[in-house]
Amino acid sequence: MKATAYAVASALVGALGIAAIAPAEAGPAAAPSYKFEKCYGVVKAGKNDCQTASNSCAGTVTKDAAGDSWVYLPAGTCDRIVGGSTTSKS
């Protein structure tokens, strides 16, 4: 009986752990609470805040500095970054 209870408890903990690390919802990242702009072309692979023509949700870009991927930055910051643009490069 103890082995069965242990197996059930282990399965439950595993299921809860997977639910905790899985994204709750696919799609763009939530807009930040500060004044922001979308900055294109400066995102590291897997760190984008948007959906692009080649992928369906935030965090899924596979190439650094993809021209159609963006990230939220404080307003006025994007133009100070080499390669950054407030309009899509694709």
Side-chain angles (χ1 to χ4, degrees):
M1 185 70 157
K2 286 184 180 186
T4 302
Y6 179 73
V8 170
S10 295
L12 181 59
V13 168
L16 291 174
I18 290 172
I21 62 171
E25 183 178 315
S33 59
Y34 52 85
K35 187 173 178 182
F36 66 89
E37 62 191 5
K38 294 177 182 177
C39 189
Y40 294 85
V42 297
V43 181
K44 296 292 280 178
K47 302 295 182 183
N48 62 308
D49 285 342
C50 65
Q51 123 183 10
T52 68
S54 60
N55 46 60
S56 62
C57 63
T60 57
V61 170
T62 57
K63 180 178 120 180
D64 288 348
D68 63 342
S69 65
W70 53 263
V71 64
Y72 287 121
L73 293 179
T77 306
C78 188
D79 290 332
R80 296 177 178 187
I81 300 173
V82 173
S85 173
T86 55
T87 57
S88 179
K89 296 179 180 182
S90 300

